[in-house]
Amino acid sequence: MRIVAVGDLHANFPALWRILKAEGLLGPTFQPTEALRSGETRLVLLGDLVHPKTPKDYERLTGLSPFDPEDPLHLRLAAGAQIRELFRLKEFQESAPKGVIILLGNHDEAALKGDPILGNRHLLHLEFHPERGGKPLPEPLKAWMAGFPREVVLEGVHFAHVGPVPWLQTYDELFYAHSEPKTWWFMTPDYVERMGFRFGVYGHTPMREGILLKERFALIDALDLGEYLEIWPEDPLRVRVRKV
């Protein structure tokens, strides 16, 4: 079995489709190829499908320049562009249930629940908040996303949005209060082995130089750089950074 692991999308769907095309997993009509449908190759998306990272990313998504994160028209255009691609991805996954796994990221859960409003002092993600002028996620998308698992283990390789321990997969007040609970384990990577995993693959935390590949784990929130992982979990485990 071969695994293609892709980090946080943050609405960069064109990059995802380029990766799938490069890996021979995307047909000419946006349908999965036989390799995915059969499960011979597995695709794992590590979550955070929604919310572009920067104002420039919102501009690319909407074609608006500058993008105003508080203008209801701009918000509805940003929501609509993501909703269209989410429906496309939903159909893609449902056509290959054996091959496509999508994990729940904290941005996905926030969009589902409407709380908390995520962002920073420069940019708030308001496009799915109708009370702020945005457009809500359609119910079919909400039902689909609510079914995303928070982790998956494939032949001893652990995939999760943030890290190897269970409390890092709960996006509660503690999760958002401090950065330390999400990063402390970088200094003790043997936690991956302590939790019973051969290797761990995680997103969420951007690395300036792209994918961080270590002996026990990889941090792969690097989709803006076009990087992703190709994994063969057989013994011996083989992991390779790929780029489009």
Side-chain angles (χ1 to χ4, degrees):
M1 179 177 65
R2 181 177 72 118
I3 303 169
V4 174
V6 179
D8 306 17
L9 287 187
H10 286 295
N12 191 352
F13 293 97
L16 172 63
W17 302 126
R18 287 195 298 272
I19 288 170
L20 297 184
K21 185 176 181 180
E23 291 295 329
L25 304 177
L26 181 67
T29 59
F30 281 89
Q31 291 298 308
T33 59
E34 178 59 26
L36 271 183
R37 290 196 302 270
S38 67
E40 178 184 348
T41 296
R42 299 285 187 90
L43 170 68
V44 180
L45 306 183
L46 291 182
D48 280 1
L49 303 183
V50 300
H51 297 157
K53 287 185 177 181
T54 69
K56 286 293 184 184
D57 293 327
Y58 274 98
E59 291 177 7
R60 283 191 287 270
L61 178 72
T62 62
L64 299 169
S65 183
F67 178 81
D68 184 346
E70 296 186 355
D71 185 316
L73 174 60
H74 290 210
L75 293 176
R76 289 194 293 271
L77 287 172
Q82 292 174 77
I83 287 169
R84 285 192 297 273
E85 290 295 328
L86 288 169
F87 271 118
R88 179 178 285 178
L89 181 57
K90 178 176 180 290
E91 181 179 353
F92 184 85
Q93 184 191 35
E94 290 172 347
S95 298
K98 293 182 179 179
V100 182
I101 299 168
I102 306 175
L103 303 183
L104 184 73
N106 62 299
H107 281 260
D108 306 318
E109 184 174 272
L112 282 172
K113 293 182 174 180
D115 181 69
I117 293 177
L118 298 181
N120 52 48
R121 62 190 180 93
H122 302 293
L123 176 67
L124 293 178
H125 302 294
L126 301 174
E127 61 264 36
F128 300 116
H129 294 270
E131 73 281 2
R132 301 291 292 269
K135 182 178 181 179
L137 283 169
E139 289 301 321
L141 287 181
K142 292 176 70 173
W144 172 61
M145 294 168 68
F148 292 171
R150 295 174 185 267
E151 63 180 336
V152 68
V153 181
L154 300 175
E155 298 192 23
V157 180
H158 182 236
F159 299 85
H161 181 59
V162 183
V165 291
W167 57 86
L168 291 175
Q169 297 151 37
T170 300
Y171 312 129
D172 54 13
E173 291 184 6
L174 178 61
F175 180 88
Y176 289 109
H178 304 286
S179 62
E180 184 180 358
K182 299 185 283 292
T183 59
W184 62 269
W185 68 272
F186 296 0
M187 301 298 103
T188 52
D190 59 327
Y191 262 91
V192 175
E193 186 175 16
R194 290 185 192 181
M195 296 301 296
F197 309 125
R198 297 170 61 204
F199 192 77
V201 181
Y202 310 107
H204 186 72
T205 304
M207 298 287 111
R208 290 184 179 180
E209 303 301 322
I211 286 177
L212 177 66
L213 183 57
K214 295 288 190 178
E215 181 182 358
R216 297 291 186 191
F217 69 91
L219 295 177
I220 70 168
D221 180 13
L223 194 59
D224 52 340
L225 300 177
E227 294 186 353
Y228 58 101
L229 281 189
E230 190 174 28
I231 303 166
W232 292 266
E234 292 82 8
D235 190 12
L237 175 75
R238 291 179 290 153
V239 183
R240 180 172 66 164
V241 176
R242 300 270 286 163
K243 186 171 184 175
V244 293

